[in-house]
Amino acid sequence: MHTSLEDGGGANATLTNNSRNRTLSLNGFLLRSGATPANAWTDSVSEDVEIFSWEKGQLATLNPDEAEILEAAAAGDIIVAMIRRFAAPPPWQAFIRDAFELAEFGSGRESLGAAVFCAVPAAVDDGEIRWVAWTFGSAGRALRRSAQDPRFGLLAVLNLLVVPLLKAGEAGPSQSQRRRGPQLREMRYRTTAPYIQQTGHRAARDIPVEGFRVDQTSDLVAAVGGTGADPALTTSTLLGGRSLRFRAWVNKPDELTELASIALERSGATEYKEMFSWIDNIRPVEDPGLIGDLRAQLADEILANPGSALIDAILPDDLIETGEDRSIRHILFPRERGIGQGNVTLAMTAIGRLLAQMRNGGAGDTGLDVDLRFLDESGELIGTATVLECISATLKQGDAEFIAYDGVFYAVNHSFVSRIDAELSKIPVSGLRYPPYGGETEPDYNKAAARCHPDEFVLLDRALIELPDEHGVEAADLVCSSGALIHVKRKGKSSVLSHLFLQVANSCELLRRSTPAWQQVSIQVSLPRLWQRRIYAG
């Protein structure tokens, strides 16, 4: 039986006529070689995981001393893992219970998770048996990132989007028709220059790649989403990054194995290079020796300068998108036991202190592997991540450039970097002469520039363009006598730079499309003292 999720024949017809059929939201991970259903869990949940084998329609408990048999899995094997943990109710439930005297409301709850591991052969690895894990509930956040293939879902979705387009082109479209390019519904990516940041955009429908604000010459794509045209996986929008997410009709465990085989085959295909070759300008490093060198270098650079603009702390996406009325409120470092000791933000200075303590204890760079715990406002564990998985950094070794993010080291194609440098060299350097910076705050610098150089600069800092039904937008911090709009930010973390870019983009877009906005700026520039009195009164 071939599992097909398109309307018509195959397994989908059987499922559609079955009163027990169900649509599941599937979230699939590919375990790295050497990782098994027994050793793929984070330390925080390993004691709560029960593992079973599925044989002849029944679950059989696997004891820890039997876990070795998972290393010799055969195609078609299915392993089921279950997680049960009791958790306190969130504050809103406690409020409703106490305020309205509902004794049973929110009195306690059980946090459940499950994973179905399917052993399937990988065609690109000479038939090596690999484990694909379909996770449900809390299980997706309980798998170690170091046990996951970082691009399984990303490459699977890209191939699912590209292959049908290539087949349509082979069918011989008329010469007057151009082959349609791939379209996406969602994209998440990391910008790599001049600072590493994570961002993403979601459209209301599938749109061309050019519709997303991604720089194909420098941005590292972490995940993409779209509507697949492949008959195996077309019942919903696909989202692929570390994992592959979609909805499908599933009624039997064997059908998960068939879907795992399809997903693994799509992930190992290379057709995506026809339309997304730029994705591979930044590729994961596989050489263990080089990874070891990069780990040591990263630890050294954090210790030497934790405030470096090339290194920043970024929380993994799966911890941010927890749902269930929960969000991160406290971050606990090793040996911190309660929320009273925890941090509310993750700062590189704190990470630097941790690495220094461990290195002084003779631990080398193993401080990168220490687990940080992320708690919600009730003090309940959302998940864990290692220090390395929370760091984004750019590293250089001679002419070679590397990126670290989400626990993985990536090599940047050198010719690719050269092309970027060539493009940047074409951008003219501003000829404006700015007053020297003396360490003051941004508002003080802007005021001093306008006050000391009244013939050159007009102060517009905090002067907002206000249009009906729109948020106020700052046109610029300073306006030069040449007509240049100047936005000022003190050099610091990537979040500051991201805010600066957002300000510039919003200002430019508003001024390009709105005549009333231009008119307000003209008034602000022509009557600067009036605006300054309004802004800085008192």
Side-chain angles (χ1 to χ4, degrees):
M1 180 182 72
H2 172 71
T3 300
S4 174
L5 303 180
E6 63 183 339
D7 291 332
N12 198 50
T14 303
L15 292 175
T16 303
N17 294 326
N18 192 317
S19 61
R20 296 176 57 200
N21 80 20
R22 57 184 60 84
T23 302
L24 293 181
S25 295
L26 297 178
N27 186 26
F29 297 84
L30 175 63
L31 300 191
R32 290 179 180 268
S33 297
T36 72
N39 62 23
W41 304 98
T42 61
D43 292 340
S44 63
V45 302
S46 58
E47 294 183 357
D48 299 310
V49 177
E50 298 178 273
I51 300 179
F52 307 84
S53 63
W54 176 254
E55 299 177 12
K56 299 179 180 180
Q58 292 184 329
L59 288 176
T61 302
L62 277 180
N63 298 317
D65 55 357
E66 299 176 301
E68 294 180 358
I69 66 174
L70 300 178
E71 298 176 5
D77 285 354
I78 294 178
I79 299 296
V80 179
M82 298 182 185
I83 304 173
R84 288 188 175 93
R85 305 180 73 177
F86 286 97
W92 72 265
Q93 292 184 13
F95 165 75
I96 295 295
R97 179 194 62 206
D98 298 338
F100 298 99
E101 300 180 357
L102 301 173
E104 299 301 321
F105 188 87
S107 58
R109 60 175 180 165
E110 191 177 22
S111 175
L112 299 175
V116 179
F117 295 86
C118 302
V120 291
V124 295
D125 295 323
D126 297 324
E128 176 189 0
I129 300 300
R130 302 288 297 275
W131 290 103
V132 173
W134 301 110
T135 62
F136 307 91
S138 62
R141 294 193 300 275
L143 292 175
R144 288 186 295 110
R145 289 175 188 76
S146 58
Q148 305 165 14
D149 185 298
R151 298 208 303 174
F152 166 62
L154 173 66
L155 297 185
V157 170
L158 291 178
N159 280 307
L160 285 164
L161 297 175
V162 167
V163 169
L165 298 178
L166 296 178
K167 291 181 177 178
E170 293 171 358
S174 65
Q175 294 183 351
S176 62
Q177 292 179 319
R178 290 182 58 191
R179 183 174 66 184
R180 182 175 70 85
Q183 295 189 326
L184 302 176
R185 182 78 56 92
E186 183 175 356
M187 182 179 289
R188 303 175 186 178
Y189 54 92
R190 269 63 166 178
T191 57
T192 60
Y195 298 94
I196 297 178
Q197 306 164 65
Q198 60 182 357
T199 187
H201 298 281
R202 179 181 299 169
R205 57 184 176 81
D206 291 347
I207 62 174
V209 176
E210 292 75 14
F212 294 88
R213 294 179 177 178
V214 59
D215 188 339
Q216 297 182 11
T217 63
S218 62
D219 291 342
L220 193 162
V221 175
V224 297
T227 303
D230 187 285
L233 303 168
T234 58
T235 60
S236 69
T237 299
L238 307 166
L239 179 65
R242 278 185 172 271
S243 67
L244 173 62
R245 300 185 183 191
F246 61 98
R247 293 179 63 82
W249 294 104
V250 177
N251 195 45
K252 301 177 182 178
D254 290 347
E255 290 160 0
L256 289 177
T257 298
E258 294 189 35
L259 289 173
S261 180
I262 294 170
L264 182 58
E265 186 274 328
R266 299 294 190 269
S267 181
T270 59
E271 284 85 354
Y272 73 93
K273 297 176 183 289
E274 293 287 333
M275 298 181 181
F276 288 96
S277 60
W278 52 276
I279 292 287
D280 288 334
N281 286 329
I282 305 175
R283 295 178 59 89
V285 176
E286 302 291 347
D287 179 20
L290 179 54
I291 292 174
D293 292 342
L294 291 170
R295 284 172 54 92
Q297 180 180 347
L298 177 59
D300 289 343
E301 294 193 10
I302 293 174
L303 290 170
N305 183 14
S308 169
L310 298 179
I311 304 174
D312 209 346
I314 296 181
L315 301 184
D317 287 338
D318 63 328
L319 291 181
I320 297 174
E321 301 174 354
T322 56
E324 300 177 355
D325 301 320
R326 306 174 72 199
S327 60
I328 295 172
R329 287 292 182 269
H330 307 279
I331 304 172
L332 267 59
F333 279 63
R335 294 184 294 278
E336 293 179 341
R337 298 184 178 277
I339 58 177
Q341 294 179 297
N343 301 268
V344 294
T345 60
L346 184 59
M348 286 305 305
T349 52
I351 290 177
R353 288 194 298 270
L354 173 63
L355 295 182
Q357 293 170 2
M358 299 203 64
R359 177 162 292 189
N360 292 337
D365 61 18
T366 57
L368 296 173
D369 300 322
V370 169
D371 277 339
L372 305 179
R373 289 168 291 156
F374 299 84
L375 312 181
D376 63 16
E377 54 191 357
S378 300
E380 294 294 329
L381 181 70
I382 290 177
T384 64
T386 66
V387 169
L388 180 59
E389 291 162 355
C390 296
I391 292 176
S392 290
T394 298
L395 305 171
K396 292 188 176 181
Q397 293 187 356
D399 293 333
E401 183 173 340
F402 301 91
I403 293 170
Y405 90 85
D406 208 14
V408 180
F409 290 97
Y410 289 81
V412 182
N413 185 293
H414 189 263
S415 61
F416 160 66
V417 175
S418 299
R419 293 196 305 273
I420 294 175
D421 289 341
E423 290 296 322
L424 292 176
S425 66
K426 299 176 183 178
I427 301 175
V429 178
S430 173
L432 298 177
R433 301 187 62 175
Y434 301 100
Y437 175 64
E440 61 268 49
T441 64
E442 174 197 328
D444 288 341
Y445 174 82
N446 292 332
K447 286 188 286 185
R451 183 177 60 251
C452 299
H453 305 273
D455 295 333
E456 298 180 50
F457 300 103
V458 171
L459 178 67
L460 291 189
D461 187 14
R462 305 187 192 180
L464 301 180
I465 301 171
E466 296 179 344
L467 300 178
D469 301 322
E470 294 194 34
H471 294 292
V473 174
E474 192 177 78
D477 293 311
L478 296 167
V479 178
C480 183
S481 57
S482 67
L485 301 177
I486 302 170
H487 295 261
V488 177
K489 277 290 180 288
R490 182 177 179 179
K491 181 180 178 181
K493 295 294 184 181
S494 61
S495 58
V496 176
L497 187 70
S498 177
H499 181 61
L500 173 65
F501 290 159
L502 184 62
Q503 279 187 318
V504 174
N506 288 340
S507 172
C508 291
E509 290 178 1
L510 181 60
L511 293 175
R512 288 180 62 184
R513 67 176 169 83
S514 174
T515 299
W518 265 113
Q519 292 171 342
Q520 286 192 32
V521 174
S522 297
I523 295 173
Q524 293 169 2
V525 172
S526 62
L527 300 173
R529 293 185 179 179
L530 173 61
W531 278 97
Q532 291 170 29
R533 285 198 300 270
R534 289 181 58 184
I535 298 165
Y536 297 107

